C-alpha cells in the first residue's frame, strides 16, 4: 500500500510562545474558566523530524522533543520511550462547553510540555497570592521525548449526547477466561498515556493535566511503568519482560507504513455511522497483567522455555538459532505462548504493542505486585485483541503464571494538526 500520511509538523515552540492568551492574573479563578498560557517558558527543545508517525530513528535517543502536531497522535508508532505514566479519568461535569474548554486547555498544556516548556506563567515569578501555573518538578529537565496520547472510553459516549458518535469498533471488552478484574483498575471515560525517557517528566505531565482538569475530570486509576517490553524502532534490541524473556520480537515498527496502515490506523469508512471523526486514529487496549513472580522463579529453565516457545538467552524460537529466525510453530508445544499468539495461528491478526513492566511493592503477603502493563494499538479490537485474547485465555501455558487484573479500551482520535487544533475536536464539533 502507498502511505498517504503527511509529514508531521515539528514542535513549534515559537508559535506557542507567541500565541495570544489572557494573563494568569486575569484568570485567577481559572477552575471553570480555562488555563492561562503565557509566554514564560522553562528550558528549550529541539524538534525532531518525522516520517509519517515515526521520529527520525537516528535521533531517537537524544532526549530532544517529539513533534506534537501531525496526522496521527504521537506515542503510538513513536519509538518507545523508557518510562510510562498512564491515567484513566472519569468525567465529572455535565457542561459540554466546560469540558471542551478543558480539552483545549489540555492540548495547549500538552503542546508546551512536550516541547520542554512550562505551562502558562511557569512555576515561579507570578502572583505570590496564587498557585503557580506549573508545578515545577520538570524545570531544568530535557523534554525527554515526552509524548501525550489521549483516548475516549466506551462510557464517555454516554456523556453530552454522543451515543450516536460511538464507533462500532469501540466495543466493551468481553469477559475472558481467567480474568480477575478489579473495578478500581478497570474502565474510564478517557485516558492519557504519558511516555518519556525521564519518569519525572511523565509524572509531571499527568499531574499537571489532572490539576487543570480539577472539577471537570478525576483520575479513576493510574499506572507507572518502566522497562519497555516492546520496540517500534527497527534494529533496536528487543526488550525483556520481568520473566526474563524477550518480548515483541516481530512488533510493528514505526517505519513500516504499510503495516501501520493495514493494522493500526483507522481508515476511511471504518467505524460505522457517524464515526468518520476516527479516521487516522487507532484503538487502544490496556491490560494490567500481574505475574506470579515467585512460582515462576522456582520453575525450571526447560519449562520456562517451553511455556514461551523460545530460548531464554538468544530469544530464538524452538529449533532455531537466532531471535528473528522464522519460527517453526509445530516444533513448539501446542500450548506455547509464541505458537498461540503468532499471526500464522490467528488468521494474520497483528497488533502494535508498547507495554511496560511495573512493580507496585508487595501484596501484604510478601509477594511482589509486579507484571506487565500491556498496551496494544489496532485498527479494530473486534478483529485484533479480542479474538487473539480469547485464544490465549483458553489454552496458553503462560496463564499458570499470570492473571489479568485491570482492563480498559479507548478510541484514540487522530492527531492535532496545527496550533489551532485541539484534542477531540473531530468528535466534539459538528463542523468537523
Amino acid at each position: 500500500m502507498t502511505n498517504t500520511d503527511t509529514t508531521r509538523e515539528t514542535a513549534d515552540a515559537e508559535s506557542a510562545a507567541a500565541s495570544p492568551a489572557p494573563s494568569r492574573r486575569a484568570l485567577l479563578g481559572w477552575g471553570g474558566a480555562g488555563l492561562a498560557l503565557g509566554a514564560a517558558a522553562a528550558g528549550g527543545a529541539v524538534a525532531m523530524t518525522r516520517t509519517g508517525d515515526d521520529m527520525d530513528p537516528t535521533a531517537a535517543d537524544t532526549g530532544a522533543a517529539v513533534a506534537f502536531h501531525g496526522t496521527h497522535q504521537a506515542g503510538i508508532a513513536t519509538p518507545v520511550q523508557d518510562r510510562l505514566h498512564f491515567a484513566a479519568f472519569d468525567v465529572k461535569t455535565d457542561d459540554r462547553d466546560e469540558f471542551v474548554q478543558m480539552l483545549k486547555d489540555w492540548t495547549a498544556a500538552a503542546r508546551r510540555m512536550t516541547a520542554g516548556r512550562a505551562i502558562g506563567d511557569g512555576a515561579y515569578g507570578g502572583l505570590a497570592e496564587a498557585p503557580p501555573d506549573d508545578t515545577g518538578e520538570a524545570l531544568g529537565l530535557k523534554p525527554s521525548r515526552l509524548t501525550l496520547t489521549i483516548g475516549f472510553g466506551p462510557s464517555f459516549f454516554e456523556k453530552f449526547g454522543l451515543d450516536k458518535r460511538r464507533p462500532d469498533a469501540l466495543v466493551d471488552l468481553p469477559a475472558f477466561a481467567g480474568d480477575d478484574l478489579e473495578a478500581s483498575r478497570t474502565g474510564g471515560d478517557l485516558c492519557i498515556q504519558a511516555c518519556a525517557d525521564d519518569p519525572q517528566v511523565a509524572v509531571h505531565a499527568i499531574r499537571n493535566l489532572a490539576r487543570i482538569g480539577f472539577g471537570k475530570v478525576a483520575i479513576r486509576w493510574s499506572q507507572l511503568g518502566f522497562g519497555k517490553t516492546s520496540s517500534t524502532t527497527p534494529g533496536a534490541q528487543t526488550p525483556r519482560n520481568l520473566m526474563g524473556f524477550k518480548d515483541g520480537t516481530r512488533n510493528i515498527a514505526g517505519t513500516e507504513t504499510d503495516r501501520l496502515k493495514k493494522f493500526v490506523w483507522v481508515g476511511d469508512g471504518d467505524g460505522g455511522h457517524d464515526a468518520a471523526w476516527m479516521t487516522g486514529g487507532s484503538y487502544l487496549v490496556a491490560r494490567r497483567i500481574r505475574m506470579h513472580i515467585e512460582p515462576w522463579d522456582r520453575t525450571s529453565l526447560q519449562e520456562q522455555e517451553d511455556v514461551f516457545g523460545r530460548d531464554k538467552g538468544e530469544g530464538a524460537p524452538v529449533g532455531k538459532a537466532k531471535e528473528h529466525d522464522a519460527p517453526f510453530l509445530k516444533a513448539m508445544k501446542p500450548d506455547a505462548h509464541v505458537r498461540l499468539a503468532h499471526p500464522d495461528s490467528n488468521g494474520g491478526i497483528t497488533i502494535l504493542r508498547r507495554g511496560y513492566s511495573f512493580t507496585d511493592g508487595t501484596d501484604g503477603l510478601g509477594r511482589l505486585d509486579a507484571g506487565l502493563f500491556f498496551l496494544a494499538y489496532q485498527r479494530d479490537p473486534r478483529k485484533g485483541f479480542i479474538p487473539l485474547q480469547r485464544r490465549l485465555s483458553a489454552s496458553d501455558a503462560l496463564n499458570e503464571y499470570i492473571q489479568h487484573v485491570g482492563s480498559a479500551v479507548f478510541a484514540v482520535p487522530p492527531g492535532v494538526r496545527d496550533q489551532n487544533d485541539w484534542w477531540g475536536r473531530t468528535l466534539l464539533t459538528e463542523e468537523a
Side-chain angles (χ1 to χ4, degrees):
M1 298 182 181
T2 301
N3 178 35
T4 58
D5 297 342
T6 59
T7 302
R8 184 183 296 274
E9 296 178 26
T10 57
D12 192 349
E14 292 77 17
S15 294
S19 296
S23 72
R24 96 182 260 285
R25 292 167 180 77
L27 292 175
L28 187 56
W30 60 269
L35 177 70
L37 294 170
V46 179
M48 289 185 174
T49 59
R50 286 176 173 268
T51 302
D53 192 57
D54 184 50
M55 289 193 316
D56 178 358
T58 62
D61 297 319
T62 65
V66 175
F68 182 72
H69 298 144
T71 304
H72 313 294
Q73 288 195 64
I76 302 176
T78 307
V80 184
Q81 302 92 321
D82 292 335
R83 302 285 184 153
L84 167 80
H85 192 184
F86 188 96
F89 295 81
D90 286 334
V91 175
K92 297 299 184 181
T93 181
D94 57 5
D95 186 326
R96 179 175 176 141
D97 291 340
E98 182 180 53
F99 181 76
V100 166
Q101 184 59 53
M102 185 206 74
L103 288 180
K104 292 178 179 179
D105 293 340
W106 268 13
T107 306
R111 186 181 284 118
R112 294 181 69 86
M113 289 190 290
T114 55
R117 291 173 169 263
I119 298 171
D121 284 342
Y124 60 90
L127 188 65
E129 293 76 16
D133 288 339
D134 190 290
T135 53
E137 69 272 26
L139 291 176
L141 299 179
K142 295 179 180 180
S144 298
R145 297 195 296 132
L146 173 67
T147 56
L148 294 167
T149 312
I150 193 171
F152 299 95
S155 57
F156 175 77
F157 294 84
E158 301 169 7
K159 322 282 183 181
F160 312 125
L162 293 169
D163 303 76
K164 293 182 178 179
R165 305 209 76 186
R166 176 175 169 176
D168 294 344
L170 186 62
V171 296
D172 293 295
L173 296 179
F176 298 104
D179 278 4
D180 187 19
L181 302 183
E182 303 169 18
S184 61
R185 297 183 184 275
T186 296
D189 292 335
L190 63 155
C191 73
I192 298 289
Q193 172 193 281
C195 297
D197 289 328
D198 186 327
Q200 190 148 315
V201 171
V203 169
H204 168 265
I206 294 295
R207 176 183 177 183
N208 280 271
L209 293 179
R211 185 170 180 256
I212 294 168
F214 181 77
K216 297 169 279 292
V217 295
I219 291 182
R220 179 182 179 90
W221 56 269
S222 66
Q223 182 67 58
L224 293 171
F226 68 93
K228 58 189 178 184
T229 62
S230 292
S231 173
T232 57
T233 307
Q237 180 176 342
T238 305
R240 292 180 184 269
N241 57 35
L242 290 182
M243 289 178 163
F245 279 78
K246 292 184 177 181
D247 208 347
T249 293
R250 189 60 184 96
N251 199 34
I252 300 174
T255 52
E256 293 183 297
T257 53
D258 286 353
R259 293 182 81 204
L260 288 168
K261 186 174 182 180
K262 182 177 181 179
F263 296 115
V264 178
W265 306 132
V266 176
D268 291 333
D270 291 355
H273 178 67
D274 208 15
W277 63 272
M278 269 294 290
T279 300
S282 189
Y283 293 94
L284 168 63
V285 171
R287 303 277 284 184
R288 188 179 192 269
I289 304 173
R290 183 172 178 183
M291 295 176 176
H292 304 314
I293 295 293
E294 291 76 16
W296 178 259
D297 289 346
R298 295 192 294 270
T299 299
S300 70
L301 175 61
Q302 185 61 61
E303 182 174 343
Q304 289 184 0
E305 292 183 337
D306 287 344
V307 164
F308 274 96
R310 291 184 179 273
D311 73 63
K312 198 167 188 176
E314 166 63 26
V318 172
K320 302 291 183 175
K322 298 295 183 182
E323 175 192 351
H324 293 281
D325 289 347
F328 180 53
L329 300 180
K330 291 184 179 180
M332 303 174 188
K333 289 185 176 296
D335 58 357
H337 178 72
V338 170
R339 179 170 179 171
L340 292 175
H342 197 276
D344 289 351
S345 299
N346 296 281
I349 291 175
T350 302
I351 56 179
L352 186 154
R353 300 175 56 185
R354 48 182 305 133
Y356 287 82
S357 296
F358 70 85
T359 54
D360 290 334
T362 57
D363 63 1
L365 297 175
R367 299 172 302 192
L368 283 174
D369 182 5
L372 168 67
F373 190 65
F374 174 90
L375 295 169
Y377 288 90
Q378 62 237 273
R379 187 170 177 171
D380 187 334
R382 298 169 300 176
K383 301 175 183 178
F385 176 79
I386 292 175
L388 181 59
Q389 182 57 28
R390 278 182 172 145
R391 180 176 176 84
L392 293 175
S393 64
S395 55
D396 190 353
L398 191 57
N399 292 336
E400 182 178 348
Y401 301 99
I402 63 172
Q403 190 157 47
H404 293 241
V405 297
S407 179
V409 60
F410 300 96
V412 177
V416 175
R417 298 176 304 175
D418 53 40
Q419 196 70 24
N420 298 315
D421 201 2
W422 45 276
W423 276 336
R425 179 191 59 82
T426 58
L427 168 62
L428 287 156
T429 58
E430 292 299 327
E431 59 270 22

